[in-house]
Amino acid sequence: MTDYNDSLDLTGIACPNNFVRTKLKLEEMEPGQILEVILDDGEPIRNVPRAVKEDGHEILKAEKIDNKWKILIKKA
Amino acid sequence: MTEYNIKELKSGGLMKQKEKDIFSLRLRIVGGFVKSEQLIKLSEIANKFGEGYIHLTTRQGIEIPNVNIKDFETVKKELAGVELQMGACGQRVRTVTACQGKECSHGLIDCLLLAKEVDKKYFGIGGHPHKFKIGITGCPNACIKPQENDLGIMGRLKKRFVKENCNYCGLCAEICPVGAIEVDRDSEKILFDADKCIGCGDCVYSCPTDAWRKRQEGYAIFVGGKMGKFPKLGVKVFDFIETKERVFEIIDKTLEFYKKFGNKGERFRETLDRVGVEKYKNKVS
Ligand code: SF4
Ligand code: SF4
Ligand code: SF4
């Protein structure tokens, strides 16, 4: 298991609010710290990891648990 | 009508309104991109010579309604000062439409650049049986609706797989819109069906570990789309054209084909349906 510094449960949060909240949370964090984000499948998993990558952060892990996805983001 | 008017009418972009001597001026706009200084000038012209507004066309164009023909030369000069020209009407290659392409996060090609090049080479060219519309869209999301054009161009991507990077998380399989990828986590295998893939690049841009990487960008080509009284969607004739040069060659040969085989007054789709898509493909291949 990879440890993380902070976590956001974005279940039920639609695009693009889920990404906006991810972004705001990352802004509060220090470079190198790790954020865990829980996303619904469908549009959220289609959009959020891509947008996070575009902002230059690293995605360490993506894992599907039932109908949700858990992703670990390392802040750039 | 005086001889002068007839000559101007033929040069394109002047559309007669119901009122005597009043015209709507259609401008040559490429892909809906308009500079701010041009917008300022358009506002001035619409206030001075029109009725204070412009009209945006469905093909991303601009028209200035309610201009008296006597002011036409003056307006044309003012437009030229901000690099704006009159548009095309009639049996010509019309306004080239384009989406944001490079500025959109899904964009796979530089639509504006390509639209400018296509416009430069083909805009206003006549001599074929009917009008000819070209639209350029940055990715398979098809926002510019390339399938509604006589010839539509769509950005596409080919990718490669870096096995060592993959951790078999399954994200790419989850998001692929056409189910072209299967991930077998237990045996650590990826199955990719290239025939299903539409080249959207979603897997490349979402893969956490950069296991899917862009190999090359290219272009899909659609032909025979039209709207109007009898709408038809264009059909895809080329899946992946690798170079711009080849895209231009296809446009050249398509216009040649249309001139040669099209009956008077016939839209390109009608020519295609009559002569056959296979014959067309042979001629342009
Ligand atoms: S077609 Fe693709 S690149 Fe163009 S605007 Fe739509 S999503 Fe963006
Ligand atoms: S998203 Fe990337 S890492 Fe995950 S299974 Fe697909 S190729 Fe492998
Ligand atoms: S490029 Fe698009 S269609 Fe092709 S495999 Fe990737 S996600 Fe699927």
Side-chain angles (χ1 to χ4, degrees), chain A:
Chain A
M1 267 315 287
T2 320
D3 264 339
Y4 47 86
N5 303 86
D6 214 331
S7 179
L8 261 187
D9 184 355
L10 297 173
T11 320
I13 309 290
C15 305
N17 284 357
N18 42 21
F19 173 63
V20 173
R21 287 181 54 178
T22 305
K23 198 176 163 75
L24 290 175
K25 176 62 87 183
L26 283 165
E27 271 167 22
E28 289 168 10
M29 297 169 65
E30 298 298 323
Q33 284 194 318
I34 292 163
L35 173 67
E36 179 203 58
V37 172
I38 312 290
L39 293 165
D40 291 318
D41 56 8
E43 285 303 301
I45 192 64
R46 210 175 274 279
N47 295 326
V48 177
R50 174 184 187 132
V52 164
K53 272 180 77 180
E54 275 166 8
D55 275 6
H57 308 294
E58 194 182 333
I59 296 179
L60 300 176
K61 200 172 165 194
E63 188 187 356
K64 190 168 187 181
I65 304 159
D66 300 324
N67 293 331
K68 294 178 191 173
W69 280 82
K70 187 166 97 178
I71 63 171
L72 292 178
I73 305 164
K74 186 172 169 193
K75 180 177 165 149

Side-chain angles (χ1 to χ4, degrees), chain A residues 46, chain B residues 140 157-159 172 175-181 192-194 196-204 212:
Chain A
R46 210 175 274 279
Chain B
L157 165 150
K158 274 193 176 165
K159 60 205 177 78
C172 54
I175 62 163
C176 173
V178 292
I181 307 173
F192 170 57
D193 186 341
K196 275 193 192 164
C197 174
I198 54 167
C200 66
D202 283 358
C203 54
V204 172
W212 287 116

Side-chain angles (χ1 to χ4, degrees), chain B residues 108-158:
Chain B
L108 303 171
I109 56 170
D110 187 340
C111 295
L112 174 58
L113 181 66
L114 183 57
K116 278 183 175 164
E117 290 167 349
V118 170
D119 172 83
K120 192 168 174 210
K121 190 151 182 225
Y122 302 102
F123 179 80
I125 290 181
H128 14 74
H130 210 307
K131 58 188 166 190
F132 196 87
K133 296 178 176 177
I134 301 174
I136 303 170
T137 211
C139 81
N141 284 338
C143 299
I144 216 71
K145 309 177 185 87
Q147 302 91 337
E148 290 180 1
N149 287 262
D150 294 286
L151 191 145
I153 302 169
M154 176 189 280
R156 290 217 162 179
L157 165 150
K158 274 193 176 165

Side-chain angles (χ1 to χ4, degrees), chain B residues 143-194:
Chain B
C143 299
I144 216 71
K145 309 177 185 87
Q147 302 91 337
E148 290 180 1
N149 287 262
D150 294 286
L151 191 145
I153 302 169
M154 176 189 280
R156 290 217 162 179
L157 165 150
K158 274 193 176 165
K159 60 205 177 78
R160 62 194 174 92
F161 184 59
V162 184
K163 198 174 184 313
E164 312 80 77
N165 278 30
C166 179
N167 60 21
Y168 306 95
C169 67
L171 191 118
C172 54
E174 174 96 15
I175 62 163
C176 173
V178 292
I181 307 173
E182 272 177 55
V183 176
D184 186 337
R185 256 163 265 190
D186 301 330
S187 61
E188 304 212 325
K189 267 205 186 103
I190 292 257
L191 289 172
F192 170 57
D193 186 341

Side-chain angles (χ1 to χ4, degrees), chain B residues 50-93:
Chain B
E51 285 189 3
Y53 60 87
I54 59 160
H55 172 241
L56 300 176
T57 74
T58 53
R59 289 187 64 79
Q60 306 177 315
I62 288 179
E63 290 164 358
I64 315 170
N66 304 305
V67 177
N68 194 301
I69 189 71
K70 74 173 168 45
D71 294 324
F72 179 55
E73 281 304 321
T74 318
V75 172
K76 228 167 96 171
K77 269 191 210 111
E78 298 223 355
L79 289 168
V82 288
E83 290 170 356
L84 282 172
Q85 295 162 15
M86 299 301 294
C89 308
Q91 279 113 323
R92 297 167 193 280
V93 175

